[in-house]
Amino acid sequence: MALLEIDKLSAFYGMARSLHDVSLEVEEGAIVGIIGPNGAGKSTLLDSIMGLTEIDGSIRLKGQELSGQSTAAIVENGIGYAPERANLFPFMSVEDNLLVGAYTARTDIETRLATAHDLFPVLKERRNQETATLSGGERQMVSLARALMTDPKLLLVDEPTIGLAPKVCADIAAVLKRLNEELGLTILIAEQNVNFAMTLAQHLFVLETGEIRISGTVETLKDDANVSDAYFGH
Ligand SMILES: Nc1ncnc2c1ncn2[C@@H]1O[C@H](COP(=O)(O)OP(=O)(O)OP(=O)(O)O)[C@@H](O)[C@H]1O
Ligand SMILES: [Mg+2]
């Protein structure tokens, strides 16, 4: 059984349907990428997993149905979410933003803070600084660290590289790889930056106007000329 199983998921904003019959699986220990252009439904998909949209279909974590559960319960079940544009509390310190993320923490908060500081040393240096005064890359790190404060099994990350310089993107990629390899975290990442997604993920799903158009391993997609031309710009 895959860690996350999504079956025929449709998501709605009022009358408008933003996802159509999306089915996908994320195996335990994998890094899986969702790629697609603006408005494809990437954020809607991650929001839906967190119980933040109205849906039809099934979303299961370790076989357990998530739809109908509250977002707090979904977090307690072991999913962490670093949403698009971070959504930090700008006039609170780095540390207080992390502590907000630990609200439903299942394990010792001091240990979680230490892990965050180990992964992102800059957040230790800047622990008392308001997040409004951080750089974009540092804010992205707070967002990731906050999502990790509940010690999730599955981490959802929405466009962590948006607007960031290549060097900072590489730093973030390195941390995500480390989380996956050393801490065994399973990661589902939404990205428009196809190259970034390909350097991290083993498996990709291409989402377009709310539907999965193509899916496969990075290896097979790279070799498929049609896919390469349409999505990977080479
Ligand atoms: N809160 C909302 N209310 C109504 N429609 C919404 C809402 N959020 C998203 N949508 C619509 O749902 C569709 C998918 O949007 P979504 O934000 O999931 O795309 P995305 O792939 O994340 O795009 P981007 O790369 O720009 O972040 C779009 O047509 C969008 O206009
Ligand atoms: Mg989005």
Side-chain angles (χ1 to χ4, degrees), residues 57-90:
S58 164
I59 304 173
R60 295 184 300 277
L61 184 74
K62 285 198 165 168
Q64 193 195 345
E65 185 61 52
L66 296 182
S67 73
Q69 292 195 31
S70 69
T71 299
I74 291 167
V75 171
E76 279 174 32
N77 276 320
I79 306 187
Y81 188 21
E84 204 172 349
R85 287 178 278 275
N87 283 330
L88 305 175
F89 295 101

Side-chain angles (χ1 to χ4, degrees), residues 38-39 41-44 84-85 158-159 190 192:
N38 288 121
K42 302 179 298 296
S43 301
T44 303
E84 204 172 349
R85 287 178 278 275
D158 198 355
E159 301 207 48
Q192 270 189 74

Side-chain angles (χ1 to χ4, degrees), residues 32-157:
V32 170
I34 311 280
I35 59 175
N38 288 121
K42 302 179 298 296
S43 301
T44 303
L45 176 59
L46 300 185
D47 282 352
S48 300
I49 296 169
M50 298 310 294
L52 295 167
T53 62
E54 224 175 286
I55 65 160
D56 272 349
S58 164
I59 304 173
R60 295 184 300 277
L61 184 74
K62 285 198 165 168
Q64 193 195 345
E65 185 61 52
L66 296 182
S67 73
Q69 292 195 31
S70 69
T71 299
I74 291 167
V75 171
E76 279 174 32
N77 276 320
I79 306 187
Y81 188 21
E84 204 172 349
R85 287 178 278 275
N87 283 330
L88 305 175
F89 295 101
F91 303 117
M92 280 166 51
S93 69
V94 167
E95 187 139 311
D96 285 344
N97 269 276
L98 295 184
L99 292 176
V100 169
Y103 181 63
T104 57
R106 298 177 297 158
T107 48
D108 176 49
I109 289 178
E110 285 308 316
T111 312
R112 301 311 303 161
L113 260 187
T115 305
H117 290 160
D118 175 47
L119 287 163
F120 305 100
V122 68
L123 300 188
K124 187 173 187 181
E125 280 166 42
R126 299 185 184 274
R127 63 205 300 167
N128 297 318
Q129 196 170 322
E130 286 181 357
T131 60
T133 64
L134 298 179
S135 73
E138 288 162 352
R139 276 203 286 274
Q140 195 54 253
M141 290 174 200
V142 178
S143 174
L144 285 170
R146 182 181 58 182
L148 295 169
M149 289 299 286
T150 50
D151 196 12
K153 295 191 274 284
L154 172 66
L155 176 68
L156 311 181
V157 192

